[in-house]
Amino acid sequence: LEALPKPDEIKSFLDEYVIGQVFAKEILSVSAYNHYKRISQSAPNVEIEKTNILLVGSSGSGKTLLAKTLANKLKVPFAIADATTLTEAGYVGEDVESVLERLLSLANYDLSIAQKGIVFIDEVDKKARRSESSTSTRDVSGEGVQQALLRLIEGTITKVKVNGGKKIVDEFVEFDTSNVLFILSGAFVGIEKIIEKRLKKKTTIGFNSTLSDIKDDNYVLQKLQSSDVIDFGLIPELVGRVPIITTLDKLTESDLYRILTNVKNSIIDQTEELLRIDDLEIEFSDNYLKTLAKLAIQSKLGARSLKGLLENSVFSCMYRIKELKQKNINAIRFDDYPTNHDKYPVLIDNNNKEMTDTNYKLYRGVSEI
């Protein structure tokens, strides 16, 4: 890898695209730097073991975006797999090796580049050994997938199919996963209860923490240890192969507002660009953005809900683009999120005349705040 960026440079790049999550960014930056520094040493004096990473955080907290942005900075191929679609070989679904095929494809079938890529496996918590009913029922297929992942993650040589294209016979290459950085991720819903139980057992709790601290989910999650992940249901062997475990905080309303205003390639920028292609300017007031952040918090889906809520508010205008152009409208302004008639957008024509968009409608119900 040419000119490997230092950890602080990686963190600065992540800051441009991901709001908050300072600890997670710093840990990811150092871990990635050490990983690629390790594999760039041609003849090391000491054999340094690979360090894979586990990201734990609620839905929409930025796990996938962090990993994707990291790969972008390091200029390495990045393949995503959803653990819920993975199965043991021979069952219906994707086998674990399929993610390596994706990595090879993204590297334009350059094996040396693919073998230095990043593999992101999301929702690994869904393959925990215990069922969601918290009974002692074991999920045998889930454990099988964990065993298959373990083999890949710890470094092995496996046969990976190369898309033959017009060739009738599939070709295979030997893929060495020793230098692939694996980032596992999951929401681990309910793991806070496991951590709380452990914290309450500690005799020092009265000196170091208060009961109100233990009721704060972010505080509790920051105390996560490998043993908690094992208690949740991941096999110890797999947890042992991901020694770096970092947690992501639940996003606040303020975080969501900053995601709309302070990151590169934000959904606001994307929406403005989409309408600009049709020669329409669109403007969102600060009030609109604050209300959007408030609605997103209520949805409990984190940053993921921002895009849906934003698009829901502009669909009506986008659907009527031809009609608006015929009326010489060249700009749309949202003074607030349009939850009722009083907040409908303002249309501005070529003569800078402003009028309320009386034909506007909000798709799917969003209750007034």
Side-chain angles (χ1 to χ4, degrees):
L1 284 161
E2 298 175 17
L4 179 62
K6 298 291 189 286
D8 61 331
E9 295 166 3
I10 297 171
K11 156 77 163 51
S12 295
F13 187 79
L14 294 175
D15 284 339
E16 293 179 16
Y17 295 88
V18 183
I19 290 295
Q21 314 300 3
V22 177
F23 289 142
K25 286 178 190 169
E26 290 181 0
I27 288 170
L28 264 181
S29 300
V30 173
S31 301
Y33 175 70
N34 285 344
H35 174 78
Y36 287 104
K37 184 170 61 171
R38 162 188 163 269
I39 65 179
S40 65
Q41 297 298 310
S42 53
N45 297 320
V46 177
E47 188 177 341
I48 304 168
E49 287 188 3
K50 183 169 64 152
T51 300
N52 300 295
I53 304 159
L54 173 63
L55 297 179
V56 176
S58 58
S59 177
S61 57
K63 302 184 293 294
T64 308
L65 181 59
L66 269 174
K68 194 174 183 180
T69 309
L70 177 69
N72 189 13
K73 176 62 177 173
L74 297 170
K75 296 180 173 56
V76 294
F78 175 73
I80 299 178
D82 191 320
T84 57
T85 67
L86 298 176
T87 64
E88 293 176 85
Y91 291 87
V92 176
E94 285 190 292
D95 59 32
V96 171
E97 282 78 7
S98 63
V99 70
L100 299 181
E101 287 177 38
R102 217 166 297 149
L103 205 57
L104 195 56
S105 168
L106 291 164
N108 291 320
Y109 296 96
D110 185 323
L111 187 61
S112 63
I113 292 175
Q115 289 177 157
K116 293 175 183 174
I118 294 176
V119 167
F120 181 80
I121 298 173
D122 197 11
E123 300 206 76
V124 72
D125 52 316
K126 299 294 195 301
K127 290 295 179 182
R129 290 184 295 179
R130 301 193 184 283
S131 69
E132 290 183 4
S133 61
S134 298
T135 64
S136 59
T137 311
R138 291 166 72 89
D139 177 358
V140 179
S141 68
E143 188 167 341
V145 171
Q146 288 190 58
Q147 294 285 1
L149 279 174
L150 170 64
R151 191 171 51 82
L152 280 193
I153 286 173
E154 63 187 352
T156 188
I157 295 173
T158 186
K159 287 189 184 300
V160 174
K161 188 164 67 175
V162 178
N163 192 337
K166 293 180 181 177
K167 297 175 184 175
I168 298 171
V169 181
D170 286 323
E171 291 182 359
F172 290 85
V173 294
E174 290 196 332
F175 195 114
D176 186 353
T177 64
S178 301
N179 292 329
V180 173
L181 177 61
F182 285 87
I183 301 177
L184 308 188
S185 148
F188 289 85
V189 175
I191 200 166
E192 292 90 347
K193 290 177 182 173
I194 293 171
I195 303 168
E196 278 178 34
K197 192 174 176 183
R198 176 174 54 77
L199 287 177
K200 285 175 180 174
K201 279 183 181 175
K202 288 173 67 177
T203 54
T204 56
I205 194 166
F207 301 101
N208 295 339
S209 318
T210 64
L211 286 173
S212 60
D213 284 333
I214 292 183
K215 287 174 185 172
D216 178 348
D217 283 348
N218 282 342
Y219 171 85
V220 171
L221 210 51
Q222 285 165 13
K223 302 294 181 185
L224 181 69
Q225 294 180 357
S226 299
S227 61
D228 303 319
V229 180
I230 293 168
D231 286 345
F232 187 87
L234 292 192
I235 59 174
E237 299 89 335
L238 182 60
V239 176
R241 291 293 180 272
V242 281
I244 302 296
I245 299 178
T246 183
T247 60
L248 281 77
D249 293 333
K250 287 181 179 176
L251 296 174
T252 64
E253 194 173 311
S254 171
D255 291 332
L256 294 178
Y257 173 77
R258 287 165 59 215
I259 285 168
L260 294 168
T261 56
N262 284 23
V263 296
K264 282 190 175 179
N265 199 38
S266 73
I267 55 171
I268 297 293
D269 295 338
Q270 292 172 40
T271 305
E272 288 172 349
E273 188 59 30
L274 266 176
L275 282 162
R276 206 168 281 132
I277 295 168
D278 284 308
D279 295 318
L280 268 174
E281 293 296 319
I282 189 163
E283 181 187 342
F284 300 98
S285 72
D286 198 52
N287 218 26
Y288 172 97
L289 300 175
K290 285 176 177 173
T291 307
L292 179 55
K294 189 180 288 186
L295 283 168
I297 279 290
Q298 290 173 2
S299 76
K300 294 183 169 36
L301 292 174
R304 195 167 282 126
S305 60
L306 288 171
K307 185 173 169 62
L309 286 163
L310 172 64
E311 289 184 344
N312 190 21
S313 73
V314 296
F315 275 149
S316 180
C317 301
M318 289 177 164
Y319 178 74
R320 293 176 295 123
I321 278 175
K322 185 178 176 182
E323 173 200 321
L324 295 177
K325 296 306 289 180
Q326 286 170 346
K327 290 180 178 177
N328 295 318
I329 301 299
N330 62 9
I332 304 163
R333 189 180 74 239
F334 282 82
D335 292 324
D336 202 340
Y337 196 90
T339 47
N340 61 38
H341 293 80
D342 297 335
K343 299 175 183 177
Y344 279 3
V346 173
L347 305 178
I348 304 164
D349 68 12
N350 294 340
N351 299 314
N352 279 333
K353 183 184 175 185
E354 297 187 0
M355 63 204 85
T356 302
D357 185 1
T358 52
N359 291 328
Y360 178 85
K361 60 183 175 185
L362 188 66
Y363 292 94
R364 302 187 301 275
V366 176
S367 58
E368 186 180 354
I369 302 167

